[in-house]
Coordinates of all heavy atoms in Angstrom, one line a residue:
V4 N 71.2 -185.4 106.7 CA 71.2 -186.1 105.3 C 70.1 -185.5 104.4 O 70.4 -185.2 103.3 CB 71.0 -187.6 105.5 CG1 70.7 -188.3 104.1 CG2 72.1 -188.3 106.2
V5 N 69.0 -185.4 105.0 CA 67.8 -184.9 104.2 C 68.1 -183.4 103.8 O 67.9 -183.1 102.6 CB 66.5 -185.0 105.1 CG1 65.4 -184.3 104.3 CG2 66.2 -186.4 105.4
K6 N 68.5 -182.6 104.7 CA 68.8 -181.2 104.3 C 69.9 -181.0 103.3 O 69.8 -180.2 102.4 CB 69.1 -180.4 105.6 CG 67.9 -180.3 106.6 CD 66.8 -179.4 106.0 CE 65.7 -179.2 107.1 NZ 64.6 -178.4 106.5
A7 N 71.0 -181.8 103.5 CA 72.1 -181.7 102.6 C 71.7 -182.1 101.2 O 72.1 -181.4 100.3 CB 73.3 -182.6 103.2
E8 N 71.0 -183.2 101.1 CA 70.6 -183.7 99.8 C 69.6 -182.7 99.1 O 69.7 -182.4 97.9 CB 69.9 -185.0 99.9 CG 69.6 -185.7 98.6 CD 68.3 -185.3 97.9 OE1 67.4 -184.9 98.7 OE2 68.3 -185.2 96.7
Y9 N 68.8 -182.0 100.0 CA 67.8 -181.1 99.4 C 68.4 -179.9 98.8 O 68.1 -179.4 97.7 CB 66.8 -180.7 100.5 CG 65.8 -179.7 100.1 CD1 64.6 -180.1 99.4 CD2 65.9 -178.3 100.4 CE1 63.6 -179.2 99.0 CE2 65.0 -177.4 100.0 CZ 63.8 -177.8 99.3 OH 62.9 -176.9 98.9
Y10 N 69.4 -179.3 99.5 CA 70.1 -178.1 99.1 C 71.2 -178.3 98.1 O 71.4 -177.5 97.2 CB 70.6 -177.3 100.3 CG 69.5 -176.7 101.1 CD1 69.2 -177.2 102.4 CD2 68.8 -175.6 100.6 CE1 68.1 -176.6 103.1 CE2 67.8 -175.0 101.4 CZ 67.4 -175.5 102.6 OH 66.4 -174.9 103.4
W11 N 72.0 -179.4 98.2 CA 73.1 -179.6 97.4 C 73.1 -180.8 96.5 O 74.0 -181.0 95.7 CB 74.4 -179.6 98.3 CG 74.6 -178.3 99.1 CD1 74.7 -177.0 98.6 CD2 74.7 -178.2 100.5 NE1 74.8 -176.1 99.6 CE2 74.8 -176.8 100.8 CE3 74.6 -179.1 101.5 CZ2 74.9 -176.3 102.1 CZ3 74.8 -178.6 102.8 CH2 74.9 -177.2 103.1
G12 N 72.2 -181.7 96.7 CA 72.2 -183.0 96.0 C 73.4 -183.9 96.4 O 73.9 -183.7 97.5
T13 N 73.8 -184.7 95.4 CA 74.9 -185.6 95.8 C 76.3 -184.9 95.8 O 77.3 -185.5 96.1 CB 75.0 -186.8 94.7 OG1 75.1 -186.2 93.4 CG2 73.7 -187.6 94.8
K14 N 76.3 -183.6 95.3 CA 77.6 -182.9 95.3 C 78.2 -182.7 96.6 O 79.4 -182.4 96.7 CB 77.4 -181.5 94.6 CG 76.9 -181.6 93.1 CD 76.7 -180.2 92.6 CE 76.2 -180.3 91.1 NZ 75.9 -179.0 90.6
C15 N 77.4 -182.8 97.7 CA 78.0 -182.6 99.0 C 78.7 -183.8 99.7 O 79.1 -183.7 100.8 CB 76.8 -182.1 100.0 SG 75.6 -183.4 100.3
W16 N 78.7 -184.9 98.9 CA 79.3 -186.1 99.6 C 80.7 -185.9 100.1 O 81.1 -186.5 101.1 CB 79.2 -187.3 98.6 CG 80.2 -187.2 97.4 CD1 80.0 -186.6 96.2 CD2 81.6 -187.7 97.4 NE1 81.1 -186.7 95.4 CE2 82.1 -187.4 96.2 CE3 82.3 -188.3 98.4 CZ2 83.4 -187.7 95.8 CZ3 83.7 -188.7 98.0 CH2 84.2 -188.3 96.8
W17 N 81.5 -185.1 99.4 CA 82.9 -184.9 99.7 C 83.1 -184.2 101.1 O 84.1 -184.4 101.8 CB 83.7 -184.2 98.6 CG 83.1 -182.8 98.4 CD1 82.2 -182.4 97.5 CD2 83.5 -181.6 99.1 NE1 81.9 -181.1 97.6 CE2 82.8 -180.5 98.5 CE3 84.5 -181.3 100.0 CZ2 82.9 -179.2 98.9 CZ3 84.6 -180.0 100.5 CH2 83.8 -179.0 99.9
I18 N 82.1 -183.4 101.4 CA 82.1 -182.7 102.8 C 82.1 -183.8 103.9 O 82.9 -183.7 104.8 CB 80.9 -181.8 102.9 CG1 81.0 -180.7 101.8 CG2 80.9 -181.2 104.3 CD1 79.7 -179.8 101.8
F19 N 81.2 -184.8 103.7 CA 81.1 -185.8 104.8 C 82.3 -186.7 104.7 O 82.7 -187.3 105.8 CB 79.8 -186.6 104.6 CG 78.6 -185.8 104.8 CD1 77.9 -185.3 103.7 CD2 78.2 -185.4 106.0 CE1 76.7 -184.5 103.8 CE2 77.1 -184.6 106.2 CZ 76.3 -184.1 105.1
L20 N 83.0 -186.9 103.6 CA 84.2 -187.7 103.5 C 85.3 -187.0 104.3 O 86.0 -187.6 105.1 CB 84.6 -187.8 102.0 CG 86.0 -188.5 101.8 CD1 85.9 -190.0 102.3 CD2 86.4 -188.5 100.3
I21 N 85.4 -185.7 104.1 CA 86.4 -184.9 104.9 C 86.1 -185.0 106.4 O 87.0 -185.2 107.2 CB 86.5 -183.4 104.4 CG1 87.0 -183.4 103.0 CG2 87.3 -182.6 105.3 CD1 86.9 -182.0 102.3
L22 N 84.8 -184.8 106.7 CA 84.5 -184.9 108.2 C 84.8 -186.3 108.7 O 85.3 -186.4 109.9 CB 83.0 -184.6 108.3 CG 82.5 -183.1 108.1 CD1 81.0 -183.1 108.1 CD2 83.1 -182.2 109.2
G23 N 84.5 -187.3 107.9 CA 84.8 -188.7 108.4 C 86.3 -188.9 108.6 O 86.7 -189.5 109.6
I24 N 87.1 -188.4 107.6 CA 88.6 -188.6 107.7 C 89.1 -187.8 109.0 O 89.9 -188.3 109.7 CB 89.2 -188.1 106.4 CG1 88.9 -189.0 105.3 CG2 90.8 -188.0 106.6 CD1 89.3 -188.5 103.9
A25 N 88.6 -186.6 109.1 CA 89.0 -185.8 110.3 C 88.6 -186.5 111.6 O 89.4 -186.5 112.6 CB 88.3 -184.4 110.2
G26 N 87.4 -187.1 111.6 CA 87.0 -187.8 112.8 C 87.9 -189.0 113.1 O 88.3 -189.3 114.3
V27 N 88.3 -189.8 112.1 CA 89.1 -190.9 112.2 C 90.5 -190.5 112.8 O 91.1 -191.1 113.7 CB 89.3 -191.7 110.9 CG1 90.4 -192.7 111.0 CG2 88.0 -192.4 110.5
A28 N 91.0 -189.4 112.1 CA 92.4 -188.9 112.6 C 92.3 -188.5 114.0 O 93.3 -188.8 114.8 CB 92.8 -187.8 111.6
A29 N 91.3 -187.8 114.4 CA 91.2 -187.3 115.8 C 91.0 -188.4 116.7 O 91.6 -188.4 117.8 CB 90.0 -186.3 115.9
S30 N 90.2 -189.4 116.3 CA 90.0 -190.6 117.2 C 91.3 -191.3 117.5 O 91.5 -191.8 118.6 CB 88.9 -191.5 116.6 OG 88.7 -192.6 117.4
L31 N 92.1 -191.5 116.4 CA 93.3 -192.2 116.6 C 94.4 -191.5 117.4 O 95.3 -192.1 117.9 CB 93.9 -192.6 115.2 CG 93.1 -193.6 114.4 CD1 93.6 -193.7 112.9 CD2 93.1 -194.9 115.0
S32 N 94.2 -190.1 117.5 CA 95.3 -189.3 118.1 C 95.0 -189.0 119.5 O 95.9 -188.4 120.2 CB 95.5 -188.0 117.3 OG 94.3 -187.2 117.4
T33 N 93.9 -189.4 120.1 CA 93.5 -189.1 121.5 C 93.7 -190.3 122.4 O 93.3 -191.4 121.9 CB 92.1 -188.5 121.6 OG1 91.9 -188.2 123.0 CG2 91.1 -189.4 121.1
D34 N 94.1 -190.1 123.6 CA 94.3 -191.2 124.5 C 93.0 -191.5 125.4 O 92.9 -192.5 126.0 CB 95.5 -191.0 125.5 CG 96.8 -191.1 124.8 OD1 96.9 -191.8 123.7 OD2 97.8 -190.5 125.2
N35 N 92.1 -190.5 125.4 CA 90.9 -190.6 126.2 C 89.9 -191.5 125.5 O 89.5 -191.2 124.4 CB 90.3 -189.2 126.4 CG 89.2 -189.2 127.4 OD1 88.1 -189.9 127.1 ND2 89.3 -188.5 128.5
I36 N 89.6 -192.7 126.1 CA 88.8 -193.7 125.5 C 87.4 -193.1 125.2 O 86.8 -193.5 124.2 CB 88.7 -195.0 126.3 CG1 88.1 -196.1 125.5 CG2 88.0 -194.7 127.6 CD1 88.8 -196.6 124.3
L37 N 86.8 -192.3 126.1 CA 85.5 -191.7 125.9 C 85.5 -190.8 124.7 O 84.6 -191.0 123.8 CB 85.1 -191.0 127.1 CG 83.7 -190.2 127.0 CD1 82.6 -191.2 126.8 CD2 83.5 -189.4 128.3
V38 N 86.4 -189.9 124.6 CA 86.5 -188.9 123.5 C 86.8 -189.7 122.2 O 86.2 -189.4 121.2 CB 87.6 -187.9 123.8 CG1 87.7 -186.9 122.6 CG2 87.2 -187.0 125.0
S39 N 87.7 -190.6 122.3 CA 88.1 -191.4 121.1 C 86.9 -192.2 120.5 O 86.7 -192.2 119.3 CB 89.2 -192.4 121.4 OG 89.5 -193.2 120.3
S40 N 86.1 -192.8 121.4 CA 84.9 -193.5 121.0 C 83.9 -192.6 120.3 O 83.3 -192.9 119.2 CB 84.2 -194.2 122.2 OG 85.1 -195.1 122.8
L41 N 83.6 -191.4 120.9 CA 82.6 -190.5 120.3 C 83.1 -189.9 119.0 O 82.3 -189.7 118.0 CB 82.3 -189.4 121.3 CG 81.7 -189.8 122.6 CD1 81.4 -188.6 123.5 CD2 80.4 -190.6 122.3
L42 N 84.4 -189.7 118.9 CA 84.9 -189.2 117.6 C 84.8 -190.3 116.5 O 84.6 -190.0 115.4 CB 86.4 -188.8 117.7 CG 86.7 -187.5 118.5 CD1 88.1 -187.3 118.8 CD2 86.2 -186.3 117.6
G43 N 85.0 -191.6 117.0 CA 84.8 -192.7 116.0 C 83.4 -192.8 115.5 O 83.1 -193.0 114.4
V44 N 82.4 -192.6 116.5 CA 81.0 -192.6 116.1 C 80.7 -191.5 115.1 O 80.0 -191.7 114.1 CB 80.1 -192.5 117.3 CG1 78.6 -192.3 116.9 CG2 80.2 -193.7 118.2
F45 N 81.2 -190.3 115.4 CA 81.1 -189.2 114.5 C 81.6 -189.5 113.1 O 81.0 -189.2 112.1 CB 81.7 -187.9 115.1 CG 81.7 -186.8 114.1 CD1 80.6 -185.9 114.0 CD2 82.8 -186.5 113.4 CE1 80.6 -184.9 113.2 CE2 82.8 -185.4 112.5 CZ 81.7 -184.6 112.4
A46 N 82.8 -190.1 113.1 CA 83.5 -190.4 111.8 C 82.7 -191.3 110.9 O 82.4 -191.1 109.8 CB 84.9 -190.9 112.1
F47 N 82.3 -192.4 111.5 CA 81.6 -193.4 110.7 C 80.1 -193.0 110.4 O 79.6 -193.5 109.5 CB 81.6 -194.8 111.4 CG 83.0 -195.4 111.3 CD1 83.9 -195.3 112.4 CD2 83.4 -196.0 110.2 CE1 85.2 -195.9 112.3 CE2 84.7 -196.6 110.0 CZ 85.6 -196.5 111.1
S48 N 79.6 -192.1 111.2 CA 78.3 -191.6 110.9 C 78.4 -190.7 109.6 O 77.5 -190.6 108.8 CB 77.7 -190.7 112.1 OG 77.4 -191.5 113.2
S49 N 79.6 -190.0 109.5 CA 79.8 -189.2 108.4 C 80.0 -190.0 107.1 O 79.4 -189.7 106.1 CB 81.1 -188.4 108.6 OG 81.0 -187.5 109.7
F50 N 80.7 -191.2 107.3 CA 80.8 -192.1 106.1 C 79.5 -192.7 105.7 O 79.2 -192.8 104.5 CB 81.8 -193.2 106.5 CG 83.2 -192.8 106.6 CD1 84.0 -193.2 107.7 CD2 83.8 -191.9 105.7 CE1 85.3 -192.8 107.9 CE2 85.1 -191.5 105.9 CZ 85.9 -191.9 107.0
W51 N 78.7 -193.0 106.7 CA 77.3 -193.5 106.4 C 76.5 -192.5 105.7 O 75.7 -192.9 104.8 CB 76.6 -193.9 107.8 CG 75.2 -194.1 107.7 CD1 74.5 -195.2 107.3 CD2 74.1 -193.1 108.0 NE1 73.2 -195.1 107.3 CE2 72.9 -193.8 107.7 CE3 74.2 -191.8 108.4 CZ2 71.7 -193.1 107.9 CZ3 73.0 -191.2 108.6 CH2 71.7 -191.8 108.3

């Protein structure tokens, strides 16, 4: 967060939106509960 804001300011927000959406899609498409959980954590960390 700190590095992204330092180099790109608020213009980088869409990158984390795409990462979050990709994480949600990947989490919903996997049957492995461990992998799905970690992808979910990654997705919502991106949204945060």
